[in-house]
Amino acid sequence: MRAIATLLVLLTLPAAAQTDAPTIRIDPAACRYVARHQPSADVEYKPGVDVHGDAVAPADLPDGYAIELPKSIDIAITSDIARRFGIATNNLYRGEAQIGTVTLQGNQVLFNGKPMQSAAEADLIALCAKTPH
């Protein structure tokens, strides 16, 4: 991704020496590549209304269970070392090695607490958000 971002973000010097700061031009294709999907308002869920805009009974039942979702979801990444090396396992010995943990926090994905998004991609997203195109 770093190589792609480097190729797509062009730093050019201003034609007239009005300022010392370079002008940053970004290829719109690069911004489309890193753009986050934002659904149109007409496709979002609207409680109490069907797809045609007609009123419907709510799906919530009285005294239902309230489920509180966690702020983050952790997924352990392991490798089955025993199977890889042909070692027999049983209920006492599993033979797995912990590689790391992938964590989902909101819209961010972390591996062992660090963002999985490269710094170049994060910089490109920030530039695209600031630049009209």
Side-chain angles (χ1 to χ4, degrees):
M1 179 61 203
R2 183 167 294 170
I4 293 171
T6 303
L7 291 174
L8 296 175
V9 177
L10 304 172
L11 296 176
T12 59
L13 295 175
Q18 298 170 351
T19 179
D20 290 15
T23 300
I24 298 175
R25 294 185 320 163
I26 303 171
D27 185 342
C31 291
R32 285 192 300 275
Y33 175 78
V34 297
R36 301 290 183 234
H37 175 69
Q38 296 180 352
S40 174
D42 62 343
V43 298
E44 292 182 9
Y45 170 73
K46 295 176 184 81
V49 179
D50 69 7
V51 295
H52 304 292
D54 300 326
V56 295
D60 297 333
L61 299 175
D63 297 329
Y65 295 103
I67 299 173
E68 187 174 325
L69 296 176
K71 300 253 186 249
S72 66
I73 299 171
D74 295 327
I75 303 166
I77 306 298
T78 62
S79 178
D80 190 346
I81 300 296
R83 187 175 73 186
R84 179 172 289 196
F85 293 111
I87 301 169
T89 61
N90 56 37
N91 290 339
L92 298 175
Y93 172 70
R94 291 180 41 175
E96 289 184 347
Q98 176 80 22
I99 305 300
T101 302
V102 173
T103 303
L104 176 63
Q105 288 180 333
N107 291 334
Q108 190 174 28
V109 180
L110 310 169
F111 182 72
N112 291 337
K114 296 180 181 173
M116 289 183 66
Q117 180 182 59
S118 72
E121 186 176 0
D123 290 344
L124 184 57
I125 290 169
L127 284 171
C128 287
K130 293 178 188 176
T131 308
H133 45 277

